[in-house]
């Protein structure tokens, strides 16, 4: 499968615990995005990388959230001291930086439940 | 900040009826993309529109981008049960936020056989 992959697919954690999610983009894609989706809503942009550089972060990304893409390939999203409000689907997408035909391809997501 | 609104939120149709969802942005978009998300799935790219007034067709689906590049629509002719899902529009504002997509809240389509 050459699509975007995400691990784990599901995560249940207790409030206050730290969690880390991983995203492996399509291999030749230089851009990687993180979105959060809650029930009944569209995905909300969190942050994106071009290669290893984090180019934009949403105000939604509080200081408890950190994302990395150290070698410009896979990315991790860490949430520290989780809160019940963090429960959501975390989606990763990747694309080639080819303006204006930049299509983002989404992974299956990691569904987080904070108890 | 940029907002993208979609209407209706829900649409229930009988199989064979047509369906349309509308998307409006608070700001001019450099392009707009449409995605479909099946229940329990992830958004799957359908199409991208770039030019003012552009119309594209994919079999029974017709996509339009408004002249002012602030609105768009998706029309499905003669719906089938396989069309069930949530349809999202998502816009690129361009400029320094070129990579960021702003999604509408989606239209949930239910098709009754």
């Amino acid at each position: 499968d050459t699509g975007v992959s995400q691990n784990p697919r599901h995560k249940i954690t207790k409030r206050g615990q730290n969690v880390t999610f991983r995203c492996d983009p399509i291999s030749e894609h230089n851009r990687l995005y993180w979105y959060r989706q809650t029930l009944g809503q569209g995905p909300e942009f969190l942050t994106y990388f071009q290669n290893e550089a984090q180019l934009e972060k949403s105000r939604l990304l509080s200081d408890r959230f950190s994302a990395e893409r150290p070698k410009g390939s896979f990315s991790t999203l860490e949430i520290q001291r989780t809160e019940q409000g963090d429960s959501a689907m975390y989606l990763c997408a990747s694309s080639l930086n080819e303006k204006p035909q930049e299509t983002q391809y989404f992974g299956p997501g990691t569904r987080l439940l904070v108890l | 900040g940029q907002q993208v609104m979609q209407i209706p939120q829900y649409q229930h149709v009988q199989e064979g009826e047509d369906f349309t969802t509308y998307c409006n942005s608070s700001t001019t978009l450099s392009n707009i993309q449409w995605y479909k998300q099946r229940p329990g799935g992830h958004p799957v790219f359908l199409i991208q529109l770039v030019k003012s007034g552009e119309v594209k067709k994919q079999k029974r689906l017709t996509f339009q981008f408004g002249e002012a590049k602030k609105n768009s629509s998706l029309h499905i002719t003669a719906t089938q049960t396989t069309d069930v899902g949530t349809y999202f529009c998502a816009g690129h504002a361009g400029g320094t936020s070129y990579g960021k997509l702003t999604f509408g809240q989606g239209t949930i389509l239910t098709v009754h056989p």
Side-chain angles (χ1 to χ4, degrees):
Chain A
D1 188 347
T2 57
V4 178
S5 61
Q6 292 187 246
N7 287 287
R9 295 289 306 276
H10 303 273
K11 179 70 177 178
I12 301 174
T13 191
K14 292 183 179 179
R15 189 176 52 186
Q17 297 295 306
N18 299 342
V19 294
T20 300
F21 309 141
R22 176 177 169 128
C23 171
D24 287 88
I26 294 171
S27 59
E28 65 268 25
H29 284 184
N30 56 354
R31 284 193 170 185
L32 186 149
Y33 310 81
W34 286 99
Y35 292 85
R36 181 173 67 188
Q37 186 177 26
T38 53
L39 199 62
Q41 300 296 318
E44 293 177 294
F45 171 81
L46 293 178
T47 188
Y48 89 96
F49 294 83
Q50 181 156 311
N51 300 311
E52 64 275 11
Q54 190 172 17
L55 296 187
E56 188 171 351
K57 292 195 295 185
S58 165
R59 288 172 294 174
L60 292 173
L61 214 64
S62 75
D63 57 3
R64 297 185 297 105
F65 288 70
S66 62
E68 294 183 341
R69 195 183 184 197
K71 298 182 180 179
S73 56
F74 73 91
S75 175
T76 57
L77 177 68
E78 181 183 16
I79 309 174
Q80 296 182 328
R81 305 181 303 280
T82 52
E83 302 172 355
Q84 288 182 327
D86 297 331
S87 296
M89 172 79 86
Y90 289 84
L91 292 162
C92 175
S94 70
S95 72
L96 273 174
N97 181 15
E98 292 180 331
K99 299 176 184 180
Q101 304 297 326
E102 184 178 342
T103 299
Q104 295 186 19
Y105 295 89
F106 282 81
T110 295
R111 188 172 296 279
L112 173 67
L113 177 61
V114 181
L115 301 176
Chain B
Q2 181 189 30
Q3 291 186 322
V4 175
M5 305 297 293
Q6 263 184 273
I7 56 169
Q9 188 174 0
Y10 302 95
Q11 187 75 57
H12 308 279
V13 299
Q14 288 293 131
E15 190 172 20
E17 291 182 341
D18 293 355
F19 160 75
T20 304
T21 174
Y22 299 92
C23 179
N24 288 284
S25 171
S26 58
T27 59
T28 302
L29 301 170
S30 62
N31 63 70
I32 196 158
Q33 301 182 10
W34 285 90
Y35 290 80
K36 178 183 178 180
Q37 187 171 21
R38 293 184 183 274
H42 58 276
V44 175
F45 174 80
L46 293 176
I47 208 161
Q48 179 173 245
L49 304 170
V50 178
K51 300 176 183 176
S52 171
E54 188 171 13
V55 178
K56 287 188 176 181
K57 292 190 176 184
Q58 286 180 350
K59 297 183 181 178
R60 293 179 295 104
L61 278 61
T62 302
F63 303 84
Q64 292 187 323
F65 200 10
E67 294 291 339
K69 301 184 76 173
K70 294 181 71 174
N71 56 66
S72 182
S73 65
L74 158 60
H75 180 80
I76 303 178
T77 302
T79 54
Q80 300 174 359
T81 54
T82 53
D83 296 326
V84 164
T86 303
Y87 292 85
F88 293 101
C89 62
H92 269 135
T96 57
S97 293
Y98 197 89
K100 171 184 173 182
L101 274 176
T102 301
F103 280 79
Q105 69 268 46
T107 296
I108 300 172
L109 174 63
T110 306
V111 180
H112 299 284

